[in-house]
Amino acid sequence: MGLLAGAIWSTYFGPGFFASIFYIMTLIVYYRSKDEALWLVFFFVLSDGFIGFFNKYEAVISVIPGLPPIEVGHFYVILTVIKAYRGKSDNVPFYETMLKIMAIYILFLVAQSYTMGLSMEINVQFRIVKHILPLLLFYSIPRLFDNEQHYRDLFLLLVPFAFIALGAQVFTLMTGAAPSQLLGLQRDLWFLKTAEAGKTYRGFYSTTAVLLSCFGALYYGAVKTNEINKPLMFSVVAADYLSAFISATRGWVLCFTFVVIMYLIFVLKLGARSVGGIVVTSAIAMVILSSIPVVNKQFTNAYERVLTLEALAGGDVSAGGTLTRLHKHGPKVMKRWAESPLTGWGFSNVFLKEANFHVGNQTILMHSGVLGAFILALFFGVFNLQIVQRSMSLPHSNPVKSALLVIPIFFMGWFIIHSTSGQQFAFYSEPGGAMAQAAFFSFAALVYKNAVLGDTPISQPA
């Protein structure tokens, strides 16, 4: 929190050059540090946003005249690769072969871009590098986070941000302003303009931190050990669910609902009495929050927005006029894909112009074609299948037997978000998204490896 306070002051309140100095200093300290979890969370929060601070292109360093500033997260990625290479760790994920295949295909997409039309302007070339660079975390994170304690520290450090994100949601509903605006930063936020226009409030803070903290809480809530505070883990899940629900973001509500139901049935295997207790506890929390009039109104609006999915199920692709991705965004992207169906448009000018965050699967096709979509699907399929097979092969006494199932269940929920709310997976990424995905897949590889070796997957505190 001290680091975040320093980042906020230097970025928004100090002299202009202070931000670059502060971020360069933190990068230097990180390079000399062995506390990988702490620094990953810090740079992750800078990339993901924090109660209205650190929006896109705000946590940056200006290093090359004439070019846009570079996000701090990109510099962090570069340093992780250098540290991983110099460390010479032999810890590689079980899906290393698939990663190499995808890396080769990315190089092909880049080469193809020049034959399909790509501007040679330096800022466009720079943009392509920035698109691809974060994916190097799939190389560096497994080698830097080479034991389970690193990931445990990472997920525990994310716990406060689940509650902070929910608190910021409630605060914004009650005051009509983001916490960052309360401190004098008069920034226009799109979701506040929407609410002021009389529409449903759609604010959602620290979205990727909410997602990753929920995964960590679900996993450690399922591991059979007394070292983890289980009530705290389930409180994190509840806070994350409420953040998504208050935002009235249908894909996220579907994701968390699906994940929680599958978790209760297949991971915890709770009986009717235990499920009833959870339902009652959740209902009490909802009643308490609903006692705040403005929050109660948002609950009603969010519930009504989720119910528009009934119209979609009935054949109305616009979901009562509230969903444009299926009848507007999707067809436009697919029309472009049809012009180059096998390998897509790569990183060409067409992709840079037509890529649409709202339609994840369609944009994958347009960018990488049927072949690229197949490679991604193969990676996801092999990854999840091997995790499930490992879980099934473990004896019931193994403390991670059920917890391993959290990984494929959560991935399916994550893919629901990708398919319904906004693109999550691709052959390119921004720093925050790549940090979350690299941590998720690398952690899964490590617990899979430990289960294979028969090691105890729960590290003892130092």
Side-chain angles (χ1 to χ4, degrees), residues 76-77 80-81 133-142 431 434-435 438 442:
Y76 167 75
V77 173
T80 65
V81 173
L133 183 65
L135 296 179
L136 291 175
L137 289 168
F138 281 86
Y139 163 82
S140 60
I141 293 298
M435 291 178 203
S442 301

Side-chain angles (χ1 to χ4, degrees), residues 40 93 103-104 131 135 156 167 173 175 195 288 299 314 388 420 422 437 451 456:
L40 174 58
I104 293 171
H131 271 317
L135 296 179
L156 289 176
L173 282 172
T175 64
I288 293 174
F299 276 154
V388 172
T420 59
Q437 291 182 32
T456 302

Side-chain angles (χ1 to χ4, degrees), residues 1-26 39 41-47 49-50 53-55 58-60 72 183 185 187:
M1 291 303 170
L3 285 168
L4 286 176
I8 290 170
W9 184 86
S10 61
T11 302
Y12 300 101
F13 302 103
F17 63 92
F18 267 40
S20 292
I21 293 175
F22 177 81
Y23 290 132
I24 290 172
M25 289 178 61
T26 58
W39 290 102
V41 171
F42 173 64
F43 291 113
F44 172 61
V45 172
L46 293 183
S47 302
F50 178 67
F53 296 105
F54 309 123
N55 299 290
E58 290 185 353
V60 297
V72 178
L183 294 177
L185 298 178
R187 184 189 300 106

Side-chain angles (χ1 to χ4, degrees), residues 183 234 291 296 404 439:
L183 294 177
F234 297 140
S291 64
N296 182 57
L404 277 172

Side-chain angles (χ1 to χ4, degrees), residues 174-192:
M174 294 179 65
T175 64
S180 60
Q181 292 176 316
L182 184 68
L183 294 177
L185 298 178
Q186 301 302 319
R187 184 189 300 106
D188 291 331
L189 299 174
W190 69 269
F191 54 84
L192 291 178

Side-chain angles (χ1 to χ4, degrees), residues 270-277:
L270 298 181
R273 183 175 179 179
S274 298
V275 172

Side-chain angles (χ1 to χ4, degrees), residues 88-253:
K88 302 185 184 302
S89 171
D90 60 355
N91 182 52
V92 296
F94 66 86
Y95 47 80
E96 181 82 354
T97 300
M98 284 301 306
L99 289 181
K100 291 178 180 178
I101 293 173
M102 289 190 287
I104 293 171
Y105 195 69
I106 290 172
L107 294 177
F108 165 78
L109 291 175
V110 172
Q112 175 185 245
S113 303
Y114 292 96
T115 67
M116 305 191 78
L118 177 62
S119 174
M120 297 305 294
E121 294 181 9
I122 189 170
N123 63 321
V124 175
Q125 300 294 312
F126 194 59
R127 185 178 174 187
I128 302 303
V129 174
K130 289 174 65 177
H131 271 317
I132 299 172
L133 183 65
L135 296 179
L136 291 175
L137 289 168
F138 281 86
Y139 163 82
S140 60
I141 293 298
R143 290 163 174 81
L144 295 175
F145 287 67
D146 56 1
N147 66 71
E148 194 269 341
Q149 185 67 43
H150 287 155
Y151 291 102
R152 181 177 170 182
D153 291 344
L154 165 65
F155 292 125
L156 289 176
L157 283 168
L158 286 172
V159 165
F161 295 97
F163 299 107
I164 291 172
L166 175 59
Q169 290 275 61
V170 176
F171 175 88
T172 303
L173 282 172
M174 294 179 65
T175 64
S180 60
Q181 292 176 316
L182 184 68
L183 294 177
L185 298 178
Q186 301 302 319
R187 184 189 300 106
D188 291 331
L189 299 174
W190 69 269
F191 54 84
L192 291 178
K193 287 185 176 181
T194 300
E196 290 170 358
K199 299 181 180 180
T200 302
Y201 166 82
R202 298 292 311 285
F204 200 166
Y205 296 100
S206 304
T207 53
T208 316
V210 165
L211 194 68
L212 198 56
S213 65
C214 185
F215 167 70
L218 289 168
Y219 180 85
Y220 283 107
V223 172
K224 297 176 181 177
T225 174
N226 295 324
E227 296 178 17
I228 305 295
N229 187 323
K230 299 301 177 66
L232 175 61
M233 296 297 100
F234 297 140
S235 296
V236 169
V237 175
D240 290 333
Y241 189 101
L242 285 172
S243 288
F245 188 81
I246 290 175
S247 76
T249 309
R250 288 167 294 200
W252 285 75
V253 175

